[in-house]
Amino acid sequence: DSSHKAVTLSLLLSSYDMIQVSRFAAGRIQLWITPCAVTMPPPGGDSLAVPTNERLCGTQFSHFPVGGPTPLQEYIGRHPKERVPEQLQEASWMLYQCESIDGVVTELGGIDRSDIDERAPVVGGDEQYPVRCRVGDSLLFSSSGGLEKVFEKGLILTVPPFWPGTASAEWRRLLRSSYLNTFSVAKSAGSLAITTPLLGSGARGTPTEQAAEIAAEASVAFVKSAGEQSEMSILFAVQDDDVGEALDKALRRYDMTST
């Protein structure tokens, strides 16, 4: 049962740094628990999905509010106690830079800033919040810095939607698009295995179960639509056994070939 499985996962995590929890779609969808999807990705992952903001500017604050709002350009680099709005100073519901995929990639210099400026022109927004990638879209960039030899097929930056408080049809569509566009970009880049976190469940504030539901639906749909001609695998990499259990349950509802 679920309680036994949670205990089993906890015991395994006490003995191993990274474990494979389950496999689906004849191994083309895999679920791994790892301390960090960036610095310790599942074996074979040659590309990485990086959930980020519309500006593609990485993380500019040491911490930021889960579920939004994203800090405006005018606050970047300024002292938070004096210049940042009051609602952004609360530490009770914050995500720190090192706790997010985008933050770790930023710290490791994983993407060349000039590459983003050159290949991702501003497509909307305003002077304070220039948009380079719309919600639900995905863009491929070469990995650099400490990640250059880890993800040889590149980093796919994608913008998941903020959690609106309920699983609306528009939210579902946008999060599903983030996955499907990311997988399609990775496949076109020649990736054989893309590592992806549970999109939207970090800074964007989506509850685990709802995020897992869309992740399972989108990944199974992509594998089925790609058919046998595609060799690319999807490697879900999560940190917590509770998150792993929720995603495992969701994947089992959509796929009957789990192992």
Side-chain angles (χ1 to χ4, degrees), residues 9-19:
L9 287 175
S10 298
L11 290 174
L12 285 170
L13 283 174
S14 67
S15 302
Y16 298 92
D17 290 329
M18 177 169 53
I19 61 168

Side-chain angles (χ1 to χ4, degrees), residues 153-175:
K153 294 299 182 180
L155 308 179
I156 297 98
L157 272 59
T158 187
V159 184
F162 279 113
W163 172 243
T166 184
S168 66
E170 179 66 1
W171 170 83
R172 293 179 65 91
R173 182 188 70 81
L174 289 171
L175 185 53

Side-chain angles (χ1 to χ4, degrees), residues 18-226:
M18 177 169 53
I19 61 168
Q20 185 184 72
V21 177
S22 49
R23 293 158 49 92
F24 304 86
R28 291 174 63 190
I29 301 175
Q30 301 176 23
L31 172 57
W32 292 77
I33 294 182
T34 175
C36 180
V38 181
T39 59
M40 193 179 293
D46 56 14
S47 62
L48 174 68
V50 182
T52 187
N53 55 67
E54 294 93 326
R55 293 191 305 248
L56 304 186
C57 63
T59 51
Q60 302 293 314
F61 286 101
S62 62
H63 57 279
F64 34 87
V66 172
T70 302
L72 294 174
Q73 181 72 29
E74 63 182 290
Y75 299 114
I76 293 177
R78 299 188 179 185
H79 195 283
K81 291 296 183 182
E82 299 176 356
R83 306 295 180 88
V84 175
E86 184 177 352
Q87 68 267 28
L88 302 188
Q89 298 181 26
E90 295 293 331
S92 59
W93 193 230
M94 290 285 182
L95 195 70
Y96 289 84
Q97 183 180 30
C98 62
E99 296 177 302
S100 71
I101 300 296
D102 199 16
V104 176
V105 170
T106 299
E107 289 179 353
L108 295 175
I111 299 179
D112 188 335
R113 180 71 244 181
S114 63
D115 192 22
I116 291 179
D117 293 338
E118 178 181 343
R119 300 184 56 245
V122 174
V123 295
D126 53 32
E127 185 176 352
Q128 284 191 329
Y129 199 92
V131 173
R132 294 179 182 272
C133 184
R134 294 185 176 90
V135 176
D137 288 346
S138 305
L139 295 172
L140 173 69
F141 295 93
S142 298
S143 57
S144 62
L147 302 181
E148 184 174 3
K149 295 183 179 180
V150 180
F151 301 106
E152 296 182 350
K153 294 299 182 180
L155 308 179
I156 297 98
L157 272 59
T158 187
V159 184
F162 279 113
W163 172 243
T166 184
S168 66
E170 179 66 1
W171 170 83
R172 293 179 65 91
R173 182 188 70 81
L174 289 171
L175 185 53
R176 192 173 190 270
S177 293
S178 285
Y179 276 111
L180 294 179
N181 287 330
T182 296
F183 297 155
S184 294
V185 168
K187 179 184 174 185
S188 296
S191 175
L192 293 179
I194 177 169
T195 298
T196 179
L198 191 60
L199 299 181
S201 64
R204 297 275 150 161
T206 300
T208 298
E209 289 189 3
Q210 286 83 351
E213 183 73 16
I214 302 300
E217 176 189 346
S219 59
V220 171
F222 178 82
V223 168
K224 289 182 177 179
S225 66

